[in-house]
Amino acid sequence: MPEPSAPPTPPVPLAALLADGTLGLRLIAGLPDARTEEVAVHWVHTSEMADPYPYLLGGELLLTAGVQLTDAHADTYVRRVVEAGAAALGFGVAPVYDTVPAGLVEACDRHGLPLLEIPPRTPFTTVARGVWRLMAEARHRELRRVTEAQQGLAAAAARPDPVPAVLRQLALRLGGRAVLFAPDGAELHATGRDPAPGSRTALVRLSRLVNPPHGTAADTVGGARLAAYALGGGQGLVLGVAAGGREAGDHTVTGVAVVLLSLLTAPHQGAAEAARSAALVRLLLGATPTEAAPLLGPGPWTVVHAQGGDTPFAASALAAALGSALAETDGTTIRVLTDRPVTAQPGWTLGVSTPVPPTALAEADTQARRALRRAEATRTALVRHHEPAPDALTALLPPEEAAAHARSRLSPLAGSPALTETLRTWLSLHGSWDRTAVALTVHRNTVRQRIARCATLLEADLDEADVRMELWFALRWL
């Protein structure tokens, strides 16, 4: 039987299709209703071939109206479909048959192939759309679960006891047990519950099959899924996990934990320390406000975007100069989190956010990015993001009214972040085409085209000082 190729989206349980009342599908043979949750549909295929075997990949819901099907041929047809690895067979009632042929029902029962009756009111394309919709929903749930797990693991990695905290978070996310094994097999840290009798002993045995710094091993015991992963920190450590079931995204979540634990258990010096710091900065800036708040202390914290250093340890050196150990780089721009005052540094161009509580790190990250663009455009060593002063003109209006005006005035640009950001940068640089092009890393003609488009959409004369002032006011409150 062909091994189903992995599709880019999670499979759909057959039970979910049957539960969709808009499709009207009915299970009539091949499998008890209670077991439909076990059947995974990876995709949909329609065929009226007498023998569809050569055209199936495995895992399909195969749809047919039985154009070439007869009772005499039914058993051979179903046997070939099962050999091809199809997940289920959907039979469309009408226009060829008024009811599902009895020979096909018997053959599906005999070979254990789930047989679905598709009513005349449901076209095959509707069934296919139903499968893709359910797959998209499953993919969304998986991505959301993985994102939440990544942020939870990042939060754990920033705690004073990071290794036990990451293990606890992993065990919680997988609904089982997580263990860090020493090179001799001893449990250094363990947390969570045993998902099945005997899983704890089996996990110890499995961990001894892995040879650090590479390698993995997997097993099942009493319905529990076991896995062991060598950590890459050079200490010979192994992560063992035991989960009661398997959900989409489990492998990705565990992979994040392996990376974090490898960084956390590595000797904290040189490149290893820089890698750990970079991972924490990326994850912290992506954490939700409620997760970030307890990690860094009350602050306030400042986000710095910088360009300048070109040594392998430039990020660490800049962070040390700014009184921080939290820095990361994408190869072009360095980001630093610090709770100290930021001053200009020789050889560096810095964009600095306003000091914020840890709940506002994402906003501060945007502020620092914009400030760095302005610093580069104006060739200034350090530019800070400035909030309106308490007695500024913008403080004369209630915030709700100001925000409502901003949304209304700039609504024609709502669908184009590029236009909004170009207008903001252009106004902040006093209408300079060249400096705006440098700040946005685009050609000056692109800036001109975007600003012209903004003027058209906003029905505004951008040469008028009053218009520029109004738009700048709106952008500050957007």
Side-chain angles (χ1 to χ4, degrees):
M1 181 178 70
E3 187 69 21
S5 302
T9 54
V12 173
L14 189 60
L17 276 175
L18 292 169
D20 188 339
T22 63
L23 299 179
L25 306 181
R26 188 167 67 95
L27 179 68
I28 60 175
L31 189 72
D33 288 338
R35 294 185 55 196
T36 54
E37 192 70 38
E38 303 171 11
V39 179
V41 176
H42 290 271
W43 28 50
V44 179
H45 181 66
T46 300
S47 175
E48 297 300 340
M49 302 290 293
D51 180 13
Y53 179 98
Y55 306 97
L56 300 181
L57 297 174
E60 297 93 347
L61 169 59
L62 176 62
L63 306 181
T64 182
V67 173
Q68 300 194 54
L69 185 68
T70 63
D71 279 346
H73 177 60
D75 189 83
T76 301
Y77 179 86
V78 171
R79 176 172 54 80
R80 292 287 285 171
V81 170
V82 170
E83 289 175 354
L89 178 64
F91 191 89
V93 176
V96 181
Y97 288 88
D98 294 331
T99 61
V100 181
L104 183 63
V105 174
E106 295 171 1
C108 286
D109 274 332
R110 190 159 46 248
H111 293 282
L113 178 66
L115 176 61
L116 311 184
E117 179 187 75
I118 304 175
R121 65 177 176 82
T122 305
F124 286 178
T125 54
T126 301
V127 177
R129 283 200 301 267
V131 172
W132 307 143
R133 175 176 51 79
L134 290 171
M135 284 184 172
E137 292 172 358
R139 181 60 170 169
H140 177 72
R141 289 193 299 271
E142 177 186 349
L143 292 175
R144 183 173 58 188
R145 176 172 179 264
V146 168
T147 299
E148 291 173 352
Q150 287 175 331
Q151 294 172 348
L153 290 167
R159 295 186 181 278
D161 57 342
V163 172
V166 168
L167 290 172
R168 285 194 297 271
Q169 186 66 211
L170 180 61
L172 176 65
R173 298 289 176 175
L174 299 183
R177 179 176 170 82
V179 184
L180 182 63
F181 292 101
D184 62 359
E187 293 187 359
L188 296 177
H189 301 282
T191 185
R193 61 177 181 82
D194 294 314
S199 62
R200 180 174 301 196
T201 302
L203 190 59
V204 173
R205 289 198 302 267
L206 189 66
S207 69
R208 292 171 178 163
L209 300 177
V210 179
N211 296 316
H214 306 291
T216 61
D219 197 3
T220 56
V221 172
R225 295 181 177 273
L226 313 180
Y229 304 84
L231 300 187
Q235 306 300 299
L237 304 178
V238 174
L239 169 66
V241 294
R246 184 175 184 176
E247 292 189 45
D250 279 356
H251 183 71
T252 302
V253 171
T254 307
V256 173
V258 169
V259 171
L260 285 174
L261 290 170
S262 296
L263 294 170
L264 292 168
T265 57
H268 291 168
Q269 54 186 347
E273 176 65 17
R276 175 178 181 267
S277 171
L280 290 178
V281 170
R282 284 191 292 269
L283 292 168
L284 284 170
L285 289 177
T288 63
T290 55
E291 290 171 330
L295 304 181
L296 298 173
W301 290 86
T302 301
V303 180
V304 179
H305 281 222
Q307 287 193 344
D310 57 1
T311 67
F313 299 104
S316 299
L318 177 62
L322 298 177
S324 173
L326 296 173
E328 71 95 19
T329 179
D330 60 6
T332 302
T333 301
I334 292 173
R335 296 192 297 180
V336 178
L337 285 175
T338 181
D339 58 353
R340 308 284 182 86
V342 179
T343 58
Q345 302 296 317
W348 291 93
T349 301
L350 306 181
V352 183
S353 75
T354 56
V356 298
T359 53
L361 285 178
E363 179 183 351
D365 192 40
T366 300
Q367 293 178 356
R369 183 180 69 251
R370 290 174 177 164
L372 177 61
R373 288 178 178 174
R374 185 176 176 84
E376 292 176 313
T378 57
R379 299 182 180 180
T380 305
L382 185 150
V383 169
R384 301 180 190 275
H385 176 84
H386 290 289
E387 296 291 356
D391 58 346
L393 179 63
T394 54
L396 299 179
L397 284 178
E400 297 80 7
E401 293 183 18
H405 170 76
R407 288 193 297 270
S408 174
R409 186 66 183 94
L410 297 171
S411 60
L413 306 183
S416 178
L419 291 181
T420 303
E421 188 63 17
T422 300
L423 180 61
R424 183 198 306 276
T425 305
W426 184 73
L427 290 174
S428 74
L429 294 171
H430 311 292
S432 170
W433 307 110
D434 291 330
R435 289 183 175 183
T436 303
V438 171
L440 298 176
T441 63
V442 297
H443 195 276
R444 68 194 308 273
N445 289 343
T446 301
V447 175
R448 287 184 176 276
Q449 292 167 1
R450 290 181 181 178
I451 294 301
R453 182 63 176 160
C454 288
T456 300
L457 292 174
L458 295 171
E459 299 180 352
D461 182 357
L462 296 182
D463 290 330
E464 291 288 337
D466 288 346
V467 173
R468 292 193 186 193
M469 181 180 68
E470 179 197 14
L471 293 175
W472 182 247
F473 174 89
L475 286 164
R476 298 296 292 269
W477 280 104
L478 184 63

